[in-house]
Amino acid sequence: MRHAAKEKQSSDGNQKGDSKRNVHQFMFATGIENSYPTISLPDGRTQRVDEMERTKHYERWREDFELVKSLGIQYLRYGPPYYRTHLAPGRYDWSFADEKFGALREMGITPIADLCHFGVPDWIGSFQNPDWPALFAEYAEAFSRRFPWIRFYTPVNEIMIAAVNSAKNGWWNERLKSDRAFVTAVKHLCKANLLAMRAMLKFDPELIFIQSEATQDFHPEEPASMKHAAVLNERRFLALDLTYGHSITAEILELLLDNGWTREEYHWFLDHHVRSRCIMGNDYYATNEHMVAPDGSVHNGGGEIFGYYVITHQYYQRYRLPVMHTETNSLGVEHPTHWLTQQWQSLHRLKQDGVPIIGFTWYSLTDQVDWDTSLREYAGHVNPNGLCDLNRQLRPVGKAYRDLIAKWREISPTYNATLSLHA
């Protein structure tokens, strides 16, 4: 029945059939920024920070989709507001998703469905809830059954950023600051990610998962910083190590075991990965490289030091998976069009040097709000890093990206051959 249904969807010329052809083309993408963590306000109240609300996407979504189309972009990182959609165990409100994903299908825009972006529904609480991974897997399976034509997914976005900002820095959601809270958040985020992928693959074994994870590097300011930087440079891989079943170092394993993990929990991740259906999504900004002080404290004063080429090569050498550049924009740089050119040329050089690069993303379509403080302040500060501004007028970088796509669209990697590298 499943294969018969897919044949019918393909024959009517809608998204499923088109997406099977498009995966042989280079995946130029953008995204609708849909973060929704909770934060504490100065007066002690809790505030949900919904970027789709703050950028007026709920009001102007049709216009946003038309902008995607006009730029020649075929792929859109996009998801419903999870906290509004998952109402209770087994209860879902699909009204947003039905309307918006239906429109994307009619327009021929291929979604990369983003199911959890930095926050959970209020009734779940936070990433510390051990019940959440199984509940999220049920939600992901229900979503995939409702939209069987969607092939690409990012089940849980930027796991390490979600865990660090929620449970180590004390900014989002549970707003905790401890190693125990951090490794617990990582465990639940990674388990939710894997359980969701496995649940969806039982329904459709052809699905492809594009992890979106911040690729970072930590640089020692002086010799006394080297040990701290080395630990941080191992910790940066933790979420992908667990997702892809890659062994971790003894020092990182001690961090887990000293803070509540069991050996059995660690081995569960080694035994339950589904890396054969994964593309490694690398997110890189000028703020992704950090300086480490002798006391172990970290700051972002370094700017771009190694750059996308070097850092992505580090991650590729570790995991040997196809790569998509899943996020970048001009946050932290003065000249967005130059940054676009720099990112593209680094990516193209990687591809020429044998790294299987299958896509590139400028994130996001519109300017964002309060990302200059990592959403921890509800200040209403507009960050001018989109392809267009909040009045939906193209920025110079939007025009440059449109031209880049038109010139380079036919570089056409063969996706099936790429996938066979790790099948």
Side-chain angles (χ1 to χ4, degrees), residues 2 16 23 27 75-80 94 97 101 110-116 136-137 139-158 193 196-201 203-213 243-244 274 277-281 324 326 415:
R2 173 65 182 149
K16 187 66 176 182
V23 292
M27 297 173 69
Y75 294 86
L76 183 69
R77 292 194 58 208
Y78 188 66
W94 299 118
F101 281 93
T110 301
I112 302 169
D114 183 346
L115 299 186
C116 177
F136 179 71
Y139 168 75
E141 181 180 2
F143 184 95
S144 66
R145 287 181 179 275
R146 192 167 186 89
F147 303 99
W149 54 273
I150 297 178
R151 189 179 187 192
F152 301 100
Y153 283 90
T154 301
V156 181
N157 175 73
E158 285 195 342
N193 195 40
M197 289 192 285
R198 294 175 72 86
M200 288 189 283
L201 285 171
F203 173 61
D204 184 353
E206 296 181 5
L207 296 181
I208 295 169
F209 302 103
I210 303 176
Q211 258 58 57
S212 178
E213 198 65 42
T243 297
Y244 298 143
V274 290
R277 302 306 305 170
C278 291
I279 292 168
M280 180 173 59
M324 181 173 182
T326 37
Y415 182 79

Side-chain angles (χ1 to χ4, degrees), residues 118 156-169 172 182 185-186 189-190 212-214 216 218 232 234-240 242 315:
F118 296 148
V156 181
N157 175 73
E158 285 195 342
I159 289 172
M160 282 297 285
I161 298 299
V164 168
N165 287 348
S166 299
K168 188 67 173 173
N169 291 337
W172 299 344
F182 165 69
V186 170
L189 284 155
C190 289
S212 178
E213 198 65 42
Q216 304 179 79
F218 295 85
L232 290 169
E234 279 301 318
R235 195 189 73 175
R236 64 179 166 154
F237 294 120
L238 179 56
L240 290 179
L242 297 174
Y315 280 74

Side-chain angles (χ1 to χ4, degrees), residues 26 325 343-351 357 359-360:
F26 195 84
H325 194 332
Q343 292 298 292
W344 175 253
Q345 292 299 331
S346 293
L347 179 148
H348 186 56
R349 183 72 254 175
L350 278 166
K351 189 172 184 296
I357 303 282
F360 177 80

Side-chain angles (χ1 to χ4, degrees), residues 70 86 111 214 240 284 319 373 376-377:
S70 71
H86 197 178
L240 290 179
Y284 180 78
Y319 302 114
T373 57
R376 67 183 184 270
E377 297 179 8

